[in-house]
Amino acid sequence: MSLDIQNVSKIFPGPRQGFFGRGEGFTALDDVSLSIRKGASFGLVGESGSGKTTLTRCILRLESLSAGNILFDGSDIHKLTPLQMRRLRSRLQIVFQDPYASLDPRMTVHDIVAEPLVIHGDVVNMTASRRTERVMELLLQVGLRSEHLFRYPHEFSGGQRQRIGIARALAVNPEFLILDEPTSALDVSVQADVLNLLHRLQVELGLTYFFISHDLGVIRYICDDVAVIYRGRVVEQGPVAAIFDNPQSDYTRMLLDAMPDPDPDRSPFRKIAAV
Amino acid sequence: MALLDIKNLNLAMRSYEGETQILHGIDLKIERGEIWGMVGETGSGKSLTGLSVSRLIASPPGRYLAGSIEFQGRDVLKATDKEMRMLRGRHIGMIFQDPTTNLNPAFRIGTQLVDVALHAGHADPSVLGLGAGASRGDFKKAAKRVAVEMLEKVGIPKAADRIDDYPHQFSGGMRQRVLIAMAMIGKPDLLIADEPTTALDVSVQAQILRLIHDLVAERNIGVLLITHNLGIVAQICSHVAVMFRGRILEAGKVNDVLKRPSHSYTQALLNSVPTVHTKRGELMGLSGAMRETSA
Ligand SMILES: Nc1ncnc2c1ncn2[C@@H]1O[C@H](COP(=O)(O)OP(=O)(O)OP(=O)(O)O)[C@@H](O)[C@H]1O
Ligand SMILES: Nc1ncnc2c1ncn2[C@@H]1O[C@H](COP(=O)(O)OP(=O)(O)OP(=O)(O)O)[C@@H](O)[C@H]1O
Ligand SMILES: [Mg+2]
Ligand SMILES: [Mg+2]
C-alpha cells in the first residue's frame, strides 16, 4: 500500500470569543507533502508539537483537512464511503503514541488484542477459539506471556502496555502500519526485539511503515526514508543516510547535535557530576 | 543521613493469578547533589520503586513484605497520610510515567498547575516568593505567576496564552512538559522523574536535562531518574542502578557501570542501542537464553 500526502494543511479553530467570534486559528500542519512507497519504512522526526500525531489523525480521518489530499494507492481517503473506509481500516492499523491513554481500562488484554479481529470479522472471519490462539501468538511475538492474557491494562508497566498496543495493531495482518513512538517506553533490548520483529514482518509480508520517533538512532536503523518536520512544515526529506550524514537544514543539524551520546565522557554536564 | 535510603524493599502485587512478588530486596541510597539513573528491563519494577517512595501504591493490590524507605531519616512506609501529603508536591516531586495520573482531561492546564502551586505554597509560602502573612489574593496571583514561569521554563512557547488550554489541545510532548512543571513547582528536595522525556524531541529533551541539572546545582537536591535512554544516563547522571526482574543487578558511578559493566545484562543493554553503523535486522536484543534463565 502506498500513501501520498499532498499539500496537507490543518488549522485548529482558535478559542471562542463572545457568541459568534473565534480567535486566530492554530496552524498545526502547513502544506505538508510526503510520499510513502509500498514496502518501505518512512520515518518522521521533528519538534514536539510540530504536528506529527495530527498528521496520523488526518490519515485515519479522525480529523478533517483544512487543505490538501491524502491518497492511499491513488484513491482519496477523505472521499471514501463509510464502508470503503472500514475496509481500508482493516488494512491500515496504528500503534498510538500514549500507551496509557490508548488501552481501554475495562477490557482484558485478550479482548484488547482481539478487538480488531472482531471489528473486521467480515474480512478476518475467525472462530472465537482461533481468535484466542491468534492473540496468544501475537503476545508471544512481542515478548509477553500467556499468563498476561486475562489481566487489565493497569496491571502492566509502560513498556508492557506499549507491546499490547503493537500486538493489537498487528492482529489483522495489516498492510500498512502507522507507528507513533512505538518503542518510547521499551528498554533498549526489548526495543531491539520489536524493531527486528517489524523488520522481519516487512521482509516476509511486504508491510509498509510510517514510523514516528524522537529517537534518531531508531529512525536510522529501521527507516529507508525520513522527513523532518518543524512547526508544521517539512524542512527536509529524503533517504535516511543522506539526511543524517549530510543534513541541509539548521533544524536537522541541531537535532543531530542534541542526540545524547551514550559515552559519559562526552557530556556537557560532566564537570559538576561526582565523577 | 542520606536524603533517601531504600533498604531491602520487598513488594508484592496482587493480580488475577494471585499475589506475585515484584521487588526483591531493593537497596538504594541517594545523597543530595546526586543524580541517580535507574535503567533496566521493562516490567522490572522501576516505576513501582519510584511510586513507593511517594507511597503511591494502594494496598491492596500492593503489599510490602519487608524493608524501609527513609526520606531524610524518616520511614515513609510508616508515615501518616497527613505527613505524606506534606511530603508530596513539596519535599518529594514526582514526574509520573503515566500522564493520566496527574493530568485531568476536564480541567484547564493552568488551573491544574495553579492548584499544585497553591498546595505547595500553603505548605511553604517561600515557594511562591511570599512571606507568612500573605493574603489569599497574594497567593492566587503568585501561584498563577509561578505556573506561567514554570511552563516557560519547560519550553512551552507563549505559555501565558496556552494556560487556558485543555490537555487534549496539547501534544504528547507538551503534556509531558506540564507534568515536569508540576513536579518542579514545589521546589522539592528529591525529584523522582519516571521517563520524563520519552515524548520529547532531542532538543527539548536537552533543555529539560539542563533544567534538572541546574536544579541540582543550585538547590543541591537529589534526583532519581528512571529512563530507558542510556544516552541520558551517560550525559546527566552521576550514578546508575541497573534493574532486572525486581532486583538491582549493579549500581555505582556512571563511568564505572557504563564503561566497565560487571553484569552481562548491562552489557546486553549497551549492545542494544542502535548506532550509525548497525545494519537493519542485526541489532542485538537480549539473547533468548538470557530471557529464559533469568525468568
Ligand atoms: N484538538 C486540538 N485543538 C487545538 N490544538 C491542537 C489540537 N490537537 C493538537 N493541537 C496542537 O497542534 C500542534 C501539533 O500537535 P501534535 O499532537 O500533532 O504534535 P506532535 O508532533 O505529535 O508532538 P509530540 O512529539 O509532542 O507528540 C500542537 O501545538 C497542539 O497543541
Ligand atoms: N497494579 C498492578 N497489579 C499487578 N501487577 C502489577 C501492577 N502494576 C505493575 N505490576 C507488575 O509489576 C511489574 C513491575 O512494574 P513497573 O511498572 O514497576 O515496571 P517498570 O520497570 O517501570 O517497567 P517499564 O520500563 O515498562 O515502565 C510488572 O511486571 C507489572 O506487570
Ligand atoms: Mg505526537
Ligand atoms: Mg515504568
Side-chain angles (χ1 to χ4, degrees):
Chain A
M1 217 155 79
S2 69
L3 175 64
D4 276 297
I5 295 169
Q6 300 175 333
N7 311 97
V8 164
S9 296
K10 172 70 193 173
I11 301 167
F12 286 109
R16 270 177 214 289
Q17 281 169 358
F19 275 117
F20 303 107
R22 277 204 179 267
E24 205 185 324
F26 180 85
T27 305
L29 293 170
D30 187 1
D31 197 21
V32 169
S33 296
L34 308 171
S35 151
I36 303 176
R37 293 175 287 131
K38 180 176 180 339
S41 303
F42 193 101
L44 184 62
V45 298
E47 213 199 359
S48 148
S50 58
K52 302 180 296 296
T53 299
T54 302
L55 183 58
T56 68
R57 291 176 56 82
C58 291
I59 295 172
L60 295 171
R61 253 176 55 174
L62 299 170
E63 301 281 357
S64 61
L65 303 182
S66 307
N69 298 304
I70 296 178
L71 311 180
F72 263 109
D73 287 339
S75 59
D76 188 333
I77 63 153
H78 284 258
K79 298 208 177 100
L80 297 182
T81 65
L83 179 68
Q84 287 171 321
M85 189 62 201
R86 231 167 62 82
R87 285 277 147 76
L88 177 68
R89 286 290 275 113
S90 71
R91 301 160 60 203
L92 160 69
Q93 290 286 313
I94 179 165
V95 178
F96 289 101
Q97 177 171 14
D98 182 351
Y100 285 93
S102 59
L103 304 179
D104 187 334
R106 291 154 306 184
M107 285 167 71
T108 64
V109 169
H110 173 276
D111 293 349
I112 289 171
V113 177
E115 193 180 34
L117 298 171
V118 177
I119 293 179
H120 300 294
D122 51 338
V123 184
V124 186
N125 204 359
M126 277 185 192
T127 62
S129 64
R130 175 68 195 106
R131 273 204 299 270
T132 302
E133 268 170 45
R134 174 78 181 135
V135 170
M136 277 296 311
E137 186 183 300
L138 289 158
L139 290 184
L140 288 178
Q141 274 189 333
V142 296
L144 294 171
R145 296 187 297 273
S146 53
E147 70 212 54
H148 293 136
L149 211 52
F150 295 105
R151 290 207 202 167
Y152 291 88
H154 76 269
E155 296 173 32
F156 287 93
S157 76
Q160 290 166 335
R161 292 186 212 210
Q162 201 158 42
R163 282 179 282 170
I164 297 168
I166 294 171
R168 175 177 60 185
L170 292 173
V172 288
N173 284 321
E175 294 162 50
F176 192 107
L177 263 188
I178 299 173
L179 302 129
D180 194 352
E181 296 278 357
T183 62
S184 62
L186 301 180
D187 72 67
V188 285
S189 73
V190 173
Q191 167 175 282
D193 291 341
V194 168
L195 294 178
N196 289 340
L197 169 69
L198 291 174
H199 174 60
R200 207 183 68 230
L201 292 173
Q202 182 162 52
V203 172
E204 287 169 6
L205 306 169
L207 298 191
T208 310
Y209 297 140
F210 185 39
F211 200 109
I212 297 171
S213 178
H214 287 303
D215 190 326
L216 304 176
V218 167
I219 290 278
R220 177 154 200 151
Y221 180 68
I222 200 81
C223 294
D224 304 296
D225 302 302
V226 63
V228 181
I229 183 170
Y230 179 69
R231 308 257 153 108
R233 280 176 166 271
V234 174
V235 293
E236 62 185 304
Q237 60 177 311
V240 162
I243 302 275
F244 281 27
D245 294 339
N246 193 11
Q248 298 299 309
S249 77
D250 291 341
Y251 183 68
T252 312
R253 265 193 292 274
M254 205 252 294
L255 280 185
L256 289 166
D257 287 343
M259 252 172 97
D261 195 304
D263 179 355
D265 291 337
R266 304 176 74 161
S267 163
F269 301 120
R270 260 317 122 194
K271 303 181 289 309
I272 67 113
V275 269
Chain B
M1 180 177 52
L3 179 64
L4 178 71
D5 196 353
I6 303 179
K7 289 184 192 142
N8 187 36
L9 191 66
N10 283 268
L11 168 70
M13 297 294 284
R14 203 167 66 195
S15 77
Y16 179 74
E17 333 61 270
E19 201 179 59
T20 340
Q21 186 165 352
I22 304 287
L23 299 179
H24 300 263
I26 300 293
D27 289 300
L28 186 69
K29 195 188 272 193
I30 301 182
E31 303 283 354
R32 282 185 175 274
E34 291 179 347
I35 305 182
W36 272 83
M38 184 177 257
V39 299
E41 216 201 359
T42 62
S44 59
K46 301 181 298 298
S47 294
L48 292 184
T49 302
L51 289 168
S52 292
V53 175
S54 306
R55 221 184 60 205
L56 286 171
I57 298 172
S59 169
R63 188 164 71 89
Y64 291 99
L65 308 172
S68 61
I69 302 175
E70 285 175 18
F71 176 71
Q72 296 180 326
R74 308 231 313 108
D75 188 352
V76 298
L77 296 182
K78 297 208 177 90
T80 63
D81 288 349
K82 191 165 167 234
E83 287 170 317
M84 281 321 295
R85 275 197 299 277
M86 263 306 279
L87 286 182
R88 285 182 212 128
R90 172 66 192 91
H91 297 285
I92 303 177
M94 176 113 199
I95 302 167
F96 295 92
Q97 184 177 15
D98 175 0
T100 55
T101 47
N102 246 13
L103 267 189
N104 188 327
F107 294 104
R108 297 177 195 277
I109 300 282
T111 315
Q112 302 192 51
L113 276 169
V114 166
D115 273 356
V116 174
L118 281 176
H119 172 75
H122 287 308
D124 178 357
S126 72
V127 167
L128 300 179
L130 297 174
S135 71
R136 277 174 76 105
D138 293 342
F139 266 105
K140 276 213 163 132
K141 238 195 273 147
K144 174 132 196 225
R145 178 178 46 77
V146 167
V148 174
E149 268 170 27
M150 262 334 287
L151 267 191
E152 263 158 17
K153 274 200 183 160
V154 295
I156 301 285
K158 298 195 204 140
D161 293 347
R162 304 224 49 174
I163 202 123
D164 288 329
D165 281 3
Y166 289 92
H168 80 269
Q169 293 172 301
F170 272 36
S171 78
M174 290 159 75
R175 280 196 289 266
Q176 197 165 37
R177 278 177 275 173
V178 174
L179 295 183
I180 297 171
M182 272 186 181
M184 291 185 167
I185 255 178
K187 303 196 170 151
D189 302 296
L190 173 69
L191 179 68
I192 300 171
D194 195 350
E195 302 284 359
T197 62
T198 44
L200 303 180
D201 67 71
V202 284
S203 73
V204 176
Q205 172 174 291
Q207 189 184 344
I208 299 293
L209 296 183
R210 157 102 24 221
L211 197 64
I212 292 177
H213 169 268
D214 291 351
L215 214 62
V216 174
E218 282 161 24
R219 312 199 45 245
N220 199 32
I221 70 169
V223 178
L224 176 62
L225 179 66
I226 301 171
T227 178
H228 288 307
N229 190 324
L230 296 169
I232 291 182
V233 172
Q235 297 286 295
I236 194 183
C237 294
S238 58
H239 297 73
V240 61
V242 182
M243 289 243 329
F244 190 75
R245 305 274 151 94
R247 293 186 167 81
I248 292 183
L249 290 184
E250 61 179 310
K253 292 208 171 139
V254 157
N255 254 324
D256 298 340
V257 176
L258 292 191
K259 292 207 162 157
R260 288 173 296 278
S262 63
H263 202 284
S264 58
Y265 176 69
T266 314
Q267 189 59 56
L269 276 186
L270 289 164
N271 292 344
S272 302
V273 179
T275 69
V276 175
H277 308 289
T278 332
K279 291 260 179 323
R280 210 177 295 172
E282 288 178 356
L283 195 59
M284 303 266 283
L286 198 55
S287 72
M290 185 152 176
R291 270 195 210 297
E292 292 316 312
T293 53
S294 44

